[in-house]
Amino acid sequence: MSALLIETHALSMRFGGILAVSELDFAVHAGELVGLIGPNGSGKTTTINMLTGHLVPVQGEIMVRGVRAHGQAASAYATMGVGRTFQITQLFGRMTVLENMLVPGLARPGSKKAGATRAARRHLEFLGLAALENLPAKNLSGGQQKLLELGRALMLEPAILFLDEPFAGVNPFLRDEIIVLVQKLHAEGRTFVIVDHDIEALQRLVHRMVVMARGRKIADGTVEDVRHDQEVLRAYAGF
Amino acid sequence: MRAVQIVLCAALGVLVLAFPGLVNAYWLSVAILAIFYAIVTASWALLVGYAGQFSFGHMAFVSLGAYTSGLLVKWFDIPIPLGMLAGVVLCAIVGSGVGFVGLRMRGPYLALFTVAFSEVLRIIFVSEVEITGGSGGLEVAPLFHTRSDAPYYYVGLVLLAGSLAAMVALVSSRWGLFFRAIRENEAAAAAAGVKVVRFRVLAFAIASSFAGLAGGFYGHFLGILTPDIGSVDQMGLVVAMAVIGGAESLPAAVIGALALEALVEALRSYGEWRLVVFGALLLLTIRFARNGLLALAWEQLARVVPVVPAPRKTA
Ligand SMILES: Nc1ncnc2c1ncn2[C@@H]1O[C@H](COP(=O)(O)OP(=O)(O)OP(=O)(O)O)[C@@H](O)[C@H]1O
Ligand SMILES: [Mg+2]
């Protein structure tokens, strides 16, 4: 088996009285393409937030490439090669598309302006945003903003990428485009964990599916396994 | 076209340099105060316009820098530039502290916190009569013993030019990019690998040290310091200067400060009414020209007069 990128032990998060994530054990190896699904409020976003340093779990362990990462700042996770997008797109609205890309490019230790700019242009080209580089990010369409957010995460040269609902609010054409982009990036060796409610799109994309319900992991296996899992069916039907 | 621009700039330069010879002592002192406000306003614009850390305590650092230098020179008879430097360093340290404590706050909460800090400091300066002379004021050694204030004008000009150049270099660097990223979206900046804590604290430290520098200059120019310099009224004036000029552009903030200080003096005979005018001007600017009147005026000017270059769309 290839290297372990991220591993959690008994990870829990609580908001006041709500146990949003409970005792989660989860591991992702290099080269995997994992789908993370579950009903609304099942704790998917909270899980991503903990695995990218945006939330500090109340309990449990997070290991990034074998190093204990618990309690580190989100920026440290980014530097360790953990990239993410947000469920609600988060861009630097009044900065240009190119500047949005340069922020992670120049935040990398030892980076140079020329190199970062070249990398940014390469990624923008790949995402079909090259012509927009001087536009303020807030002027982009919703779909373009999603692509830019993905591009910004790619600027980290991440070992693993968490995408929170990349297909939400996206037309079928762009949805297919995003699937192809992710497939290409995966073929280049990037590892993905993708949260979405679009099971059909995920089935086309991922090799492994993890299912959460009420903060717990209730299934973890191939798409086939999960599809016939009684508990999964119950969780979705009962919702 | 280019030649016209060069001629215009040269003429402006000559005018600025010859200014002390062209005006009376009163207007010269107004110009020196305007330069002081310009440094303060530009550094506030750096903190608020670029880094997005809304502070209402900037004048507290002006007074901290001024009192530090004034007292050190008085007690230990050190050279004034050294006293001013000590003020700058202390402001950087205290500024980091304020930035650090304010980390969990943003927007109005951060503003309120900085107001509280500012008032606490002012009240300390008022109460510690033994040390600061309280409201009666502290006598501060003058930087020059000349009859004319012209040397202050030129020193102020150098300080302003140096500060502005340093701040412009800063905002054009990767640090400036990170400041703006944090202003736009802190979570996204962190996800992009920006050390948010470090840069928020840095923004406070840097902006506060420029305020301290301006404060030191102010004290050694006036020769007397009162805690009023750190008052909320003064802060309001600086906010008006930055917002009316344009808080997201350092040169615009400087011009806003110079213009407003000139206006404050020119309208002095109208008493308190002029403040109403400024209040109205401020409201109109916020409502109709978020980037300040200067950017707006510049755009119109660039449209009408072909020698004026169109403003660059950044911030
Ligand atoms: N910052 C927060 N403060 C309080 N409660 C929160 C917070 N974030 C999440 N929660 C709660 O935690 C639970 C899990 O939320 P989470 O956003 O992780 O769900 P999700 O699986 O991503 O759902 P969706 O598919 O709707 O995005 C929910 O009950 C939610 O209300
Ligand atoms: Mg979610």
Side-chain angles (χ1 to χ4, degrees), chain B residues 150-293:
Chain B
Y152 287 101
Y153 174 83
Y154 291 113
V155 166
L157 222 47
V158 168
L159 288 180
L160 174 59
S163 305
L164 197 59
M167 286 188 250
V168 166
L170 175 69
V171 300
S172 332
S173 72
R174 74 176 74 194
W175 286 16
L177 191 72
F178 298 160
F179 284 162
R180 283 157 60 214
I182 291 170
R183 173 193 75 194
E184 291 296 301
N185 193 320
E186 226 173 278
V194 176
K195 296 189 170 68
V196 173
V197 169
R198 175 186 299 181
F199 283 99
R200 276 189 66 167
V201 171
L202 256 176
F204 259 99
I206 294 170
S208 302
S209 25
F210 283 109
L213 176 71
F217 173 69
Y218 174 87
H220 293 293
F221 164 59
L222 282 191
I224 181 124
L225 269 178
T226 63
D228 281 347
I229 185 62
S231 68
V232 173
D233 293 6
Q234 285 288 324
M235 191 65 236
L237 181 61
V238 168
V239 172
M241 287 169 165
V243 171
I244 289 171
E248 290 185 7
S249 153
L250 296 171
V254 165
I255 293 172
L258 299 177
L260 218 60
E261 174 62 14
L263 214 59
V264 169
E265 294 303 328
L267 300 180
R268 196 164 273 287
S269 57
Y270 294 91
E272 294 300 305
W273 274 104
R274 68 208 156 115
L275 300 179
V276 177
V277 173
F278 295 148
L281 202 58
L282 186 61
L283 289 178
L284 288 174
T285 308
I286 292 171
R287 175 64 185 81
F288 295 108
R290 229 192 112 192
N291 286 329
L293 288 184

Side-chain angles (χ1 to χ4, degrees), chain A residues 44-45 87 164-165:
Chain A
K44 306 179 297 293
T45 297
Q87 182 164 354
D164 199 350
E165 306 208 3

